[in-house]
Amino acid sequence: MTPKRRVDNLALFGGERLFSEPRHVNKPNSPPRELFDRYLDTAWSAAWFSNDGPLLRRFEARLCEQFDVRHCIVTCNATAALDIVLQALRLPPGGEVILPSYTFVSTANLLRLAGLKPVFCDIAADSMNADPEQCARLISSDTVAIIPTHVWGVPCDIDALEALSDQSGVPLLFDAAHAYGAVHGTRRIGGFGLAEIFSLHATKALHAFEGGIIATDDDALADDLRLRRNFGFSGNDQVDLPGVNAKMSEAHAAMGLANLDVFARTIAASRLCHETYEQGLRGIPGLVLRMPDPASQPNYHYVVAELDAQQFGMDRDTLTRLLFAENIWARRYFYPGVHRMTPHLPLAPQAPVSLPQTERACNRVLVLPAGAAIDLDDVRAICTLLRFISENAAVIAGRS
Ligand SMILES: Cc1ncc(COP(=O)(O)O)c(C=O)c1O
């Protein structure tokens, strides 16, 4: 990790890379190995590895207690989780579903596969979450669901969205993939809308290698989802509905439980990482970190920068190229916006005009390597590099 002294030292111009191995946006968290082994041993001794096992039940019970909800149904991933929720709601084909374009592509993909029509709403500039006023304007007689995302784990404007759902009678689901640990008011994320869906992918704040959680207070929905998770089986030879295999294995539940046990430590480490960036990037013109609101008990898992190209002296994409060359795999989330992605572009060709805040975020956001597992010396080195680039932006921009 040799700091750059001259522009020629930048890897893009032939210098040595700052890191010999890539630094990813979120290196997976590893709980103490013996903790994971202890959970796994119980599955091993019972030779019970899948199908509603004891670890899965323990994991679900702990999540229910945390979210203060009646049901948590864990699945093999969040995409499968949302898939079975959409099926369980029996939404009419061709129905419109309002969602932000500024989110991960999985929801829009699922809607298309289910014969539903994604209708993209814009985000609020301050939160980068679905703007409730925009959602309200998009509601029509064909609207069958609203699915906003708690982007970066920042809770949506839940009160306004729940009011909209109540007034319109349109079911509200939350994509809570990023939001494990956060609260809205006094209640944990997980307890809002008809259901909330979390991702337990290896790169998430809480993970189970892969996995998903559906949290809901709706008994009938939960019963239906448990069937759909397991091919529709309600008994040995009885299949009640056309379910899929969305089950979580005991090994995955073991990882989920182990990560749950150390989650307070995970948040503390992620917070320290965030604070290290805050300190290291302070005063760099045009590079502004989005600050999590302590009132929502954020998990500090993402470090999200917004770049003002004029003030920084270089556009975001040039900066991204420079960082990649140094093995800093910072990412342009959720670039280019779901509305501009090939499968969804023909559906809303006018969307770029009607989604100005989404376009702005897609063109300015850069997510930096962060989380509990990153080495803080790496964070300091990334900050030093960003400051060097900022101080030499004019020269670099002229060469790249
Ligand atoms: C906002 C959001 N929604 C949904 C998903 C899908 O989650 P999974 O990978 O568990 O299917 C992700 C995954 O990265 C995500 O970031």
Side-chain angles (χ1 to χ4, degrees):
M1 263 197 310
T2 318
K4 313 285 170 179
R5 308 240 176 264
R6 294 183 298 117
V7 167
D8 283 340
N9 296 150
L10 290 167
L12 196 65
F13 304 136
E16 194 188 339
R17 289 172 190 270
L18 187 62
F19 299 111
S20 56
E21 296 293 329
R23 298 302 190 261
H24 296 273
V25 159
N26 286 118
K27 183 176 172 183
N29 297 327
S30 305
R33 180 64 191 267
E34 58 280 10
L35 203 52
F36 170 67
D37 285 348
R38 225 179 299 145
Y39 282 117
L40 195 62
D41 282 349
T42 64
W44 206 268
S45 357
W48 192 341
F49 298 134
S50 189
N51 288 24
D52 218 11
L55 292 179
L56 173 139
R57 287 180 181 215
R58 220 156 127 187
F59 190 32
E60 289 186 339
R62 282 182 65 182
L63 293 167
C64 277
E65 200 179 304
Q66 291 191 348
F67 298 153
D68 192 20
V69 294
R70 292 163 63 82
H71 308 279
C72 281
I73 295 108
V74 297
T75 57
C76 53
N77 57 57
T79 305
L82 181 59
D83 186 20
I84 60 174
V85 171
L86 292 173
Q87 290 173 29
L89 294 181
R90 296 173 174 83
L91 303 174
E96 295 182 356
V97 176
I98 299 172
L99 76 164
S101 165
Y102 197 68
T103 188
F104 190 60
V105 71
S106 54
T107 302
N109 287 355
L110 282 173
L111 295 175
R112 298 292 296 284
L113 291 169
L116 297 162
K117 185 178 173 212
V119 174
F120 297 116
C121 66
D122 206 1
I123 50 173
D126 53 352
S127 65
M128 292 196 177
N129 284 329
D131 181 344
E133 279 182 25
Q134 297 277 331
C135 293
R137 257 181 250 144
L138 293 172
I139 292 219
S140 77
S141 54
D142 292 328
T143 309
V144 294
I146 308 170
I147 314 182
T149 303
H150 304 300
V151 174
W152 323 128
V154 176
C156 291
D157 187 344
I158 292 175
D159 299 343
L161 290 163
E162 285 195 330
L164 182 62
S165 169
D166 289 346
Q167 283 154 20
S168 60
V170 175
L172 174 66
L173 306 168
F174 285 105
D175 178 340
H178 296 178
Y180 179 80
V183 303
H184 171 63
T186 54
R187 182 143 206 212
R188 281 280 289 258
I189 296 298
F192 298 98
L194 175 60
E196 299 210 60
I197 294 121
F198 295 82
S199 171
L200 298 172
H201 182 258
T203 55
K204 295 295 188 280
L206 177 79
H207 79 86
F209 298 126
E210 285 267 11
I213 310 166
I214 306 161
T216 183
D217 271 324
D218 189 307
D219 298 341
L221 177 63
D223 287 347
D224 192 305
L225 290 171
R226 289 204 172 88
L227 293 180
R228 283 180 197 277
R229 174 175 67 176
N230 185 26
F231 308 101
F233 277 111
S234 62
N236 277 348
D237 306 311
Q238 178 69 31
V239 174
D240 291 355
L241 41 78
V244 294
N245 182 355
K247 290 172 289 168
M248 173 180 275
S249 83
E250 289 292 276
H252 290 80
M255 191 59 159
L257 283 163
N259 271 318
L260 213 51
D261 286 345
V262 296
F263 194 68
R265 266 193 273 164
T266 302
I267 291 207
S270 296
R271 183 174 186 166
L272 200 55
C273 164
H274 207 285
E275 286 167 356
T276 306
Y277 269 115
E278 286 165 35
Q279 229 172 1
L281 300 180
R282 196 162 292 148
I284 297 183
L287 188 69
V288 178
L289 282 192
R290 294 186 71 81
M291 298 299 291
D293 175 4
S296 69
Q297 295 183 22
N299 58 34
Y300 296 96
H301 192 58
Y302 294 93
V303 171
V304 183
E306 264 189 278
L307 194 81
D308 180 314
Q310 211 130 44
Q311 285 182 36
F312 188 77
M314 179 186 298
D315 63 57
R316 191 269 321 262
D317 293 353
T318 306
L319 176 60
T320 310
R321 273 200 302 281
L322 280 163
L323 296 178
F324 256 72
E326 304 290 349
N327 257 336
I328 300 165
W329 289 17
R331 298 285 305 278
R332 310 177 290 180
Y333 272 56
F334 289 96
Y335 186 83
V338 178
H339 66 286
R340 285 186 184 270
M341 290 180 177
T342 305
H344 307 296
L345 188 58
L347 205 73
Q350 78 294 355
V353 179
S354 55
L355 303 173
Q357 295 303 335
T358 302
E359 292 280 316
R360 181 180 153 88
C362 286
N363 290 321
R364 289 165 58 102
V365 163
L366 191 61
V367 180
L368 298 168
I374 198 168
D375 185 330
L376 291 182
D377 283 339
D378 288 0
V379 172
R380 290 185 198 100
I382 292 170
C383 292
T384 304
L385 176 68
L386 283 166
R387 194 171 292 280
F388 175 82
I389 292 173
S390 145
E391 285 165 357
N392 295 278
V395 181
I396 297 167
R399 286 184 56 167
S400 47

